Amino acid sequence: MVQRGSRFLVEGELSAWHRDLMGSSGLQGAVLAALAHYLQRQDYDEGIQVGGGTVSVNAPAIRRLWGSLTQDQTPKEMSTVKALKTLSNGKTVRRNTSTGRLRFYQVSGEDVLRTAENLQIGDTDIMRDYLYSDPDNYQPPGVLHAVTS
């Protein structure tokens, strides 16, 4: 059945091309770029957790870090939530943090890496290693650690 309206909807799976289109402009694109900068810097904030190929993002946390990740004006909270909900396909988890139990949107690390590649943000090979690492045991490149025998 076809219903006419103001939106063009197609049923099917999203390909990388569709995801790039969805995340290449507007606030969704800005969020992916901010997350690419976060991966490139290998920052730590318990409101943005990296590992296992996913970037888990708490909306208030990315808004708090926005100025250090991008030159753009900090988006409104509801706009940020809407962008994260779209980028995560609605996938969320709740995790305990030092400030309590928070909701995190599960953003595909591959989407962030494609944005980094397209915008030439950082070294995507190093970012990929960080993204797929065990977050509890990750050693950033160039950091020497003592080996005991």
Side-chain angles (χ1 to χ4, degrees), residues 52-67:
T54 301
V55 183
S56 301
V57 186
N58 173 260
I62 196 168
R63 289 186 71 244
R64 179 173 33 79
L65 295 171
W66 195 262

Side-chain angles (χ1 to χ4, degrees), residues 18-38 62 66 69-73 75 79-80 82-88 107-108 111-121:
H18 293 103
R19 296 203 59 79
D20 283 346
L21 180 64
M22 179 177 68
S24 65
S25 63
L27 186 53
Q28 293 168 17
V31 168
L32 288 173
L35 293 174
H37 283 289
Y38 184 85
I62 196 168
W66 195 262
L69 298 173
T70 179
Q71 301 293 318
D72 300 334
Q73 182 177 354
S79 299
T80 305
K82 185 176 177 182
L84 286 169
K85 190 173 184 179
T86 300
L87 291 169
S88 68
V107 178
S108 164
D111 291 346
V112 178
L113 290 173
R114 271 196 310 278
T115 298
E117 188 74 34
N118 292 339
L119 298 177
Q120 299 180 358
I121 297 170

Side-chain angles (χ1 to χ4, degrees), residues 12 16 23 27 32 43 50 60 131 133 144:
L27 186 53
L32 288 173
D43 287 340
V50 177
L131 180 65
S133 69
L144 299 176

Side-chain angles (χ1 to χ4, degrees), residues 10-14:
V10 177
E11 189 174 335
E13 290 191 32
L14 288 175

Side-chain angles (χ1 to χ4, degrees), residues 125-145:
D125 291 333
I126 293 172
M127 293 164 71
R128 183 177 309 281
D129 289 344
Y130 179 45
L131 180 65
Y132 286 96
S133 69
D134 173 4
D136 295 328
N137 297 314
Y138 181 70
Q139 289 289 326
V143 174
L144 299 176
H145 55 282

Side-chain angles (χ1 to χ4, degrees), residues 68-108:
S68 68
L69 298 173
T70 179
Q71 301 293 318
D72 300 334
Q73 182 177 354
T74 304
K76 295 181 180 179
E77 187 169 1
M78 287 310 296
S79 299
T80 305
V81 168
K82 185 176 177 182
L84 286 169
K85 190 173 184 179
T86 300
L87 291 169
S88 68
N89 291 322
K91 293 181 201 166
T92 62
V93 294
R94 291 199 176 269
R95 294 191 174 159
N96 291 324
T97 67
S98 64
T99 60
R101 196 159 164 82
L102 301 176
R103 176 187 312 263
F104 288 81
Y105 291 90
Q106 303 289 98
V107 178
S108 164

